């Protein structure tokens, strides 16, 4: 629709222009009619848009609308007579004043559309661009017109007559500069309005030049120019106003930068012609040249400043990017990428890998923001501990590294010690330890293996009880290799039935009778013989096989239990649950299935959980255990007393049985304190209405003390070691294992 209107306007203009040339007799009539129509319609269009729109648009269209209304007034004041008689009378003073006001409105409208660039340098550049163009254009008009005009009239009235075209030249300069700072790709109202003003001023200048030099054939073109500029301005609101960043004056293109110099070239061209003709310059021309030179230099200076600022900010930006690419966002330490590049480039003596112990528990229980806070503090302490001697880095998660450039193994150990000490100091948002693995260049195969070797050493440190460091060496390499092999073999063992379950009877201490046993997994390795669970369960956990093993023990024990209960219907079995299994989300379903398959009541089964293994997510573990308990299964808290939150566990978990750890029982015979402690725990357990089992009873003296203190049940080598199922005595007619000799 708008496109068609635009095309129609061009066609109409073309016809009018042709008419102006072809019919000189009626050209005044045609011109007057066109001008009256264009300006009046324009005023209506603009004011309608002003009423309909808001904010900036309303402001712009009000100003331009008023300008067109003034223009229309000036045109109509002479146009009606001219259209009627074919002769245009001179304008009244009022009409002339209003006509000048129209010009002022048009310029104001044009200026109100764009916004100045931000920053003083950008604004200065815009002003200087305007000055350059204005000085050159006004100078050119002056040089071109003053002499011929002062020959026609007196120099003083020539000055007055010249003020109008010189002003127009200034406005033209401003319009050109404004245009140069706008995107040329979008047809916005900015371009239309400014284009209209450019056309208007150019026409005005051409008209003056035509008059002064008496060039008659220019007159129809001048009339056409006025009609076209009025038409352009009238239709401006049909194009959209520039929005947002588009409004900002910014000469982006080459074209935009060159525009202010086009008038300069014209000025110089005219000046050169005059010099060649041997004419002298008056003081005004010299002034214009001086101002022009100053403006050009000013603009160049600002441009240089702008460029310098731009390249400075580019450099800063590049530096920021480089920093971000090489550093961890949370802690600000170097990241893995930076560490590996430094490893390849810098002199390196050792690499430390620092892994927090129990960080996951912090994240799970205290939340991620606490976890983040902890990591930031740890990073800070790491930085302080390392100082100038190395490069600390965060590899991801709770894993950190330190690259040490100089020194030997002793220095690396000292650094590890310093880091562990610093991390152990109070003030962290949560208590965590760390395990450190050290790999030295001297002991490494090559640099590429440093990270891997430090990782293996760290793993070993973690396995050796956490809070320690370990240096990578050949022995460790062998150990790691063994573990790798063990993991592979374990998968085979599980599939080929090399695992079996041993049972250790739980005994009623007073009577010596046993109606319960604990299921303990065993691995009969085809070459190495029996491997104790403490040696292969951690490996199984790393290989992700622990859950499978526990599930297998559960089903095997359930089958065994069903068989034994045919002889002794009161018999029960306890199975151990690893944390991995407990949090796997399968325990409840597995237990229910095992019970159902062998038609066992829930109370025939007990599950044992160790407190040290539960820390990570106590609430989730409690939920799972409550569901297990709902099946009738009893819950036993294993190794009671060795962890540090025994009482919390007792309070939070649905416990039925407490197994007091072997270490307490061992001390009973000679340590009085141990005895007091044991008694206190026992009283506590009884007060809570729970059952107590003493673990690791090895000597008759211990048995006597346990009986004296009122402990009901026990388990240990004194009664029986864990044995294969066929050796477990079931039913009333079994020999009492070694109990006969057990006299207190
Ligand atoms: P636990 O649950 O505390 O099991 C008791 C451990 O004490 C067993 O070691 C047992 O052989 C040992 N023991 C029993 N009586 C005595 C004694 O009088 N003196 C001494 N010094 N030791 C005694 P075992 O069978 O080597 O198992 C070690 C640990 O491995 C278990 O500790 C348990 O935490 C874990 N475990 C064993 N079987 C399984 C299983 O099927 N699943 C899971 N998740 N863990 C298991
Ligand atoms: Ca146990
Ligand atoms: Ca135990």
């Amino acid at each position: 629709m708008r496109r068609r209107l635009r095309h129609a306007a061009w066609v109409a203009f073309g016809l009018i222009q042709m008419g102006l040339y072809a019919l000189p007799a009626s050209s005044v009539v045609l011109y007057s009619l066109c001008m009256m129509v264009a300006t009046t319609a324009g005023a209506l269009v603009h004011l309608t848009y002003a009423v309909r729109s808001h904010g900036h648009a309303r402001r712009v269209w009000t100003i331009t609308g008023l300008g067109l209304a003034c223009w229309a007034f000036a045109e109509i004041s002479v146009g009606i007579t001219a259209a009627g008689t074919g002769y245009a009378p001179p304008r009244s003073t009022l009409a002339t004043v209003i006509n000048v006001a129209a010009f002022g409105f048009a310029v104001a409208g044009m200026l109100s559309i764009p916004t100045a660039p931000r920053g003083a340098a950008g604004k200065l550049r815009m002003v200087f661009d305007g000055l350059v163009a204005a000085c050159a254009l006004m100078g050119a008009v002056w040089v071109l017109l003053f002499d011929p005009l002062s020959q026609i009239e007196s120099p003083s009235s020539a000055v007055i007559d010249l003020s109008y075209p010189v002003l127009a030249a200034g406005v033209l300069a401003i319009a050109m500069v404004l245009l140069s700072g706008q995107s040329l790709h979008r047809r916005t109202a900015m371009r239309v309005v400014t284009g209209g003003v450019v056309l208007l001023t150019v026409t005005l200048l051409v008209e003056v030049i035509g008059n002064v030099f008496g060039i008659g054939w220019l007159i129809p073109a001048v009339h056409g120019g006025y009609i076209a500029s009025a038409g352009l301005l009238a239709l401006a609101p049909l194009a959209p106003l520039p929005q947002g960043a588009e409004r900002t004056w910014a000469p982006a293109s080459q074209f935009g930068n060159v525009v202010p110099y086009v008038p300069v070239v014209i000025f110089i061209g005219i000046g050169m012609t005059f010099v060649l003709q041997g004419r002298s310059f008056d003081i005004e021309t010299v002034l214009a040249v001086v101002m022009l030179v100053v403006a050009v230099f000013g603009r160049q200076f600002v441009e240089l400043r702008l460029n310098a600022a731009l390249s400075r900010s580019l450099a800063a930006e590049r530096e920021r990017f480089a920093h971000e690419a090489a550093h961890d966002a949370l802690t600000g330490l170097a990241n893995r990428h930076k560490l590996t590049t430094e490893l390849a480039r810098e002199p390196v003596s050792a690499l430390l890998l620092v892994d927090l112990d129990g960080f996951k528990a912090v994240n799970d229980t205290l939340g991620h923001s606490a976890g983040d806070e902890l990591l930031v503090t740890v990073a800070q302490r790491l930085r302080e501990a390392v100082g100038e001697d190395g490069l600390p880095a965060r590899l991801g998660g709770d894993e950190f590294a330190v690259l040490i450039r100089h020194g030997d193994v002793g220095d690396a150990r000292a650094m590890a010690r310093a880091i562990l000490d610093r991390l152990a100091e109070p003030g962290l948002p949560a208590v965590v330890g760390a395990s450190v693995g050290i790999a030295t260049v001297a002991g490494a195969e090559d640099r590429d293996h440093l990270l891997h070797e430090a990782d293996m050493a760290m793993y070993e440190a973690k396995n050796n009880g956490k809070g320690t460091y370990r240096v990578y060496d050949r022995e460790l390499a062998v150990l790691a290799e063994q573990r790798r092999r063990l993991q592979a073999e374990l998968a085979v063992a599980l599939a080929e039935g090399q695992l079996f379950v041993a049972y250790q009877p739980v005994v009623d201490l007073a009577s010596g009778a046993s109606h319960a046993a604990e299921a303990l997994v065993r691995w009969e390795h085809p070459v190495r013989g029996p491997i104790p669970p403490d040696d292969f369960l951690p490996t199984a956990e790393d290989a992700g096989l622990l859950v499978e093993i526990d599930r297998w023990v559960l089903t095997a024990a359930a089958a065994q239990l069903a068989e034994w209960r045919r002889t002794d219907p009161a018999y029960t079995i306890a199975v151990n649950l690893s944390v991995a299994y407990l949090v796997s989300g399968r325990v409840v379903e597995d237990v229910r299935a095992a019970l159902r398959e062998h038609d066992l009541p829930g109370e025939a089964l007990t599950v044992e959980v160790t407190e040290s293994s539960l820390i990570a997510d106590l609430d989730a573990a409690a939920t799972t255990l409550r569901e297990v308990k709902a099946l009738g299964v009893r819950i036993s808290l294993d190794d009671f007393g060795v962890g540090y939150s025994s009482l919390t566990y007792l309070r939070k978990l649905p416990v039925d049985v407490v197994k007091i750890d072997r270490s307490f029982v061992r001390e009973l015979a000679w340590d009085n304190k141990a005895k007091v402690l044991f008694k206190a725990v026992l009283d506590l357990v009884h007060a809570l209405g729970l059952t107590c089992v003493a673990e690791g009873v090895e000597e008759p003296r211990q048995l006597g003390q346990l009986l004296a203190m009122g402990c009901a049940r026990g388990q240990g080598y004194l009664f029986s070691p864990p044995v294969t199922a066929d050796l477990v005595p079931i039913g009333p007619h079994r020999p009492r294992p070694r109990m006969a000799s057990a006299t207190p």
Side-chain angles (χ1 to χ4, degrees):
M1 178 63 204
R2 290 195 175 164
R3 215 164 124 217
R4 245 186 250 159
L5 190 68
R6 214 164 57 230
H7 289 165
W10 281 119
V11 170
F13 171 71
L15 290 175
I16 290 167
Q17 184 67 75
M18 270 160 39
L20 286 174
Y21 270 105
L23 312 162
S26 23
S27 73
V28 171
V29 177
L30 183 60
Y31 172 73
S32 306
L33 283 177
C34 285
M35 283 310 281
M36 285 191 293
V37 170
T39 50
T40 312
L44 289 174
V45 169
H46 281 237
L47 292 173
T48 312
Y49 266 83
V51 171
R52 286 215 191 135
S53 48
H54 301 276
H56 177 242
R58 172 172 284 185
R59 241 177 4 257
V60 171
W61 300 134
T62 307
I63 297 171
T64 50
L66 288 176
L68 279 161
C70 291
W71 198 359
F73 175 84
E75 291 301 332
I76 291 169
S77 72
V78 293
I80 293 174
T81 318
T85 60
Y87 164 76
R91 277 190 188 140
S92 66
T93 316
L94 176 67
T96 307
V97 169
I98 289 183
N99 199 32
V100 172
F103 201 54
F105 275 122
V107 173
M110 170 179 85
L111 283 172
S112 71
I113 299 177
T115 44
R118 257 191 281 149
K123 286 195 178 77
L124 260 181
R125 180 167 102 167
M126 186 170 78
V127 170
F128 273 125
D129 270 3
L131 268 181
V132 169
C135 288
L137 265 185
M138 288 157 90
V141 168
W142 183 274
V143 169
L144 202 61
L145 296 182
F146 183 73
D147 265 3
L149 208 64
S150 51
Q151 274 160 25
I152 301 171
E153 45 193 312
S154 71
S156 57
S157 62
V159 168
I160 292 168
D161 278 0
L162 262 181
S163 62
Y164 206 38
V166 165
L167 203 73
V171 172
L172 175 59
I174 294 169
M176 284 172 73
V177 169
L178 284 184
L179 262 188
S180 74
Q182 291 292 310
S183 160
L184 292 174
H185 305 296
R186 288 246 305 142
R187 190 178 282 111
T188 62
M190 174 70 198
R191 267 177 64 190
V192 184
V193 170
T194 318
V197 172
V198 168
L199 192 58
L200 185 63
T201 45
V202 167
T203 307
L204 201 142
L205 289 174
V206 170
E207 183 182 24
V208 173
I209 291 169
N211 284 345
V212 170
F213 294 100
I215 312 171
W217 57 264
L218 272 180
I219 290 168
V222 164
H223 284 168
Y226 281 131
I227 293 169
S229 61
L232 260 184
L233 286 170
L235 296 179
L238 295 180
L241 279 171
Q243 300 292 330
E246 215 181 12
R247 264 179 77 187
T248 310
W249 183 87
S253 61
Q254 211 55 35
F255 170 78
N257 277 315
V258 166
V259 163
Y261 292 95
V262 173
V264 177
V265 172
I266 296 174
F267 188 28
I268 291 173
I270 294 171
M272 295 281 276
T273 329
F274 279 32
V275 169
L276 289 179
Q277 289 173 356
R279 286 161 58 172
S280 63
F281 291 104
D282 52 21
I283 180 73
E284 287 84 356
T285 315
V286 174
L287 207 68
V289 171
V290 170
M291 274 178 66
L292 182 63
V293 170
V294 169
V296 167
F297 273 107
R299 140 98 199 209
Q300 268 347 81
F301 176 72
V302 170
E303 185 76 20
L304 279 179
R305 287 285 304 275
L306 270 177
N307 283 345
L310 195 68
S311 60
R312 256 201 313 280
S313 79
L314 270 180
E317 192 85 326
R318 212 174 300 135
E319 211 165 284
R320 198 169 59 80
F321 273 140
H323 186 89
E324 268 173 19
H327 290 80
D328 171 50
L330 177 66
T331 62
L333 292 181
N335 61 14
R336 181 184 285 271
H337 172 73
K338 166 127 171 125
L339 185 86
T340 43
T341 43
E342 294 279 299
L343 257 178
R345 216 170 37 199
E346 300 287 307
V348 175
S349 92
L351 183 71
L352 269 59
L353 213 70
V354 183
D355 194 278
L356 300 186
D357 301 331
F359 177 70
K360 193 179 173 305
V362 173
N363 246 353
D364 288 349
T365 53
L366 300 179
H368 281 269
S369 60
D372 282 356
E373 196 187 322
L374 178 66
L375 289 174
V376 170
T377 320
V378 165
Q380 183 52 34
R381 291 191 175 188
L382 201 61
R383 221 180 259 129
E384 288 160 11
V386 171
E388 295 293 299
D389 299 334
L391 171 78
R394 180 175 174 223
L395 300 185
D398 59 345
E399 206 178 38
F400 297 86
V402 178
L403 187 154
I404 304 181
R405 299 211 167 83
H406 307 286
D408 55 11
V409 180
D411 297 313
R413 284 175 189 272
M415 173 73 78
R417 195 63 270 158
I419 290 170
L420 288 174
D421 287 349
R422 188 76 186 85
L423 291 185
E425 281 172 27
L428 283 179
V431 184
V432 287
S435 303
V436 182
I438 303 173
T440 59
V441 166
E445 269 181 61
D446 59 64
R447 277 180 181 217
D448 296 343
H449 285 88
L450 266 187
L451 201 61
H452 179 59
E453 291 175 0
D455 192 51
M456 284 201 278
M458 190 275 292
Y459 182 87
E460 207 50 45
K462 252 198 199 321
N463 257 4
N464 290 352
K466 309 188 170 161
T468 57
Y469 65 85
R470 179 80 156 90
V471 182
Y472 178 87
D473 53 22
R474 288 251 43 100
E475 185 197 336
L476 194 146
V478 172
L479 230 92
E481 175 55 32
Q482 268 176 9
R483 188 174 309 113
R484 229 190 344 269
R485 194 156 348 115
L486 205 65
Q487 285 189 1
E489 289 174 346
L490 203 56
V492 177
L494 195 60
E496 294 191 347
Q498 291 170 18
L499 298 185
F500 66 93
V501 184
Y503 295 90
Q504 183 174 38
V506 178
V507 174
D508 181 85
L509 294 180
S511 68
S514 170
H515 302 283
E518 178 180 3
L520 295 158
V521 70
R522 294 287 178 269
W523 180 7
E524 188 66 36
H525 193 279
V527 182
R528 289 163 58 190
I531 304 178
D534 284 336
D535 285 2
F536 72 85
L537 289 183
T539 312
E541 178 162 20
D542 291 335
L545 291 169
L546 188 52
V547 173
E548 281 315 302
I549 291 177
D550 275 359
R551 298 182 81 198
W552 178 79
V553 172
L554 175 65
T555 47
Q560 186 61 66
L561 183 59
E563 192 193 316
W564 283 341
R565 278 172 74 92
R566 280 197 278 277
T567 314
D568 180 355
Y571 210 83
T572 67
I573 287 185
V575 293
N576 293 282
L577 300 185
S578 63
V579 201
Y581 189 26
L582 199 60
V583 301
S584 70
R586 312 166 81 159
V587 171
V588 183
E589 206 32 61
D590 286 353
V591 169
R592 188 182 290 132
L595 293 176
R596 195 186 307 128
E597 173 160 8
H598 300 286
D599 201 16
L600 293 164
E603 56 276 15
L605 196 68
T606 303
V607 293
E608 298 193 357
V609 289
T610 49
E611 71 168 77
S612 53
S613 56
L614 284 176
I615 297 171
D617 194 345
L618 194 55
D619 290 335
T623 308
T624 305
L625 288 177
R626 262 192 292 276
E627 287 174 46
V628 172
K629 189 177 172 129
L631 300 171
V633 173
R634 257 174 306 193
I635 313 294
S636 175
L637 193 54
D638 207 351
D639 302 342
F640 187 82
V642 289
Y644 24 60
S645 20
S646 311
L647 296 182
T648 312
Y649 285 87
L650 213 49
R651 187 163 57 80
K652 286 206 168 181
L653 301 180
V655 175
D656 303 288
V657 181
V658 172
K659 295 185 83 170
I660 302 180
D661 192 66
R662 199 161 62 229
S663 52
F664 287 84
V665 178
R666 191 172 49 225
E667 312 285 305
L668 271 184
W670 54 82
D671 186 351
N672 203 43
K673 235 190 214 166
K675 216 166 133 183
V676 172
L677 219 58
F678 195 100
K679 182 77 174 85
V681 171
L682 203 62
D683 289 346
L684 175 75
V685 171
H686 287 156
L688 288 170
L690 309 178
T691 310
C692 187
V693 177
E695 286 190 310
V697 186
E698 294 181 354
E699 297 170 19
R701 272 178 63 197
Q702 292 166 336
L703 173 62
Q705 280 163 318
L706 288 170
L707 278 171
M709 280 189 284
C711 179
R713 309 172 79 198
Q715 186 182 350
Y717 294 165
L718 177 61
F719 314 114
S720 165
V723 292
T724 50
D726 55 312
L727 295 179
V728 178
I730 306 289
H733 45 267
R734 61 184 160 72
R736 288 229 238 123
R738 290 167 66 186
M739 271 297 284
S741 62
T743 35

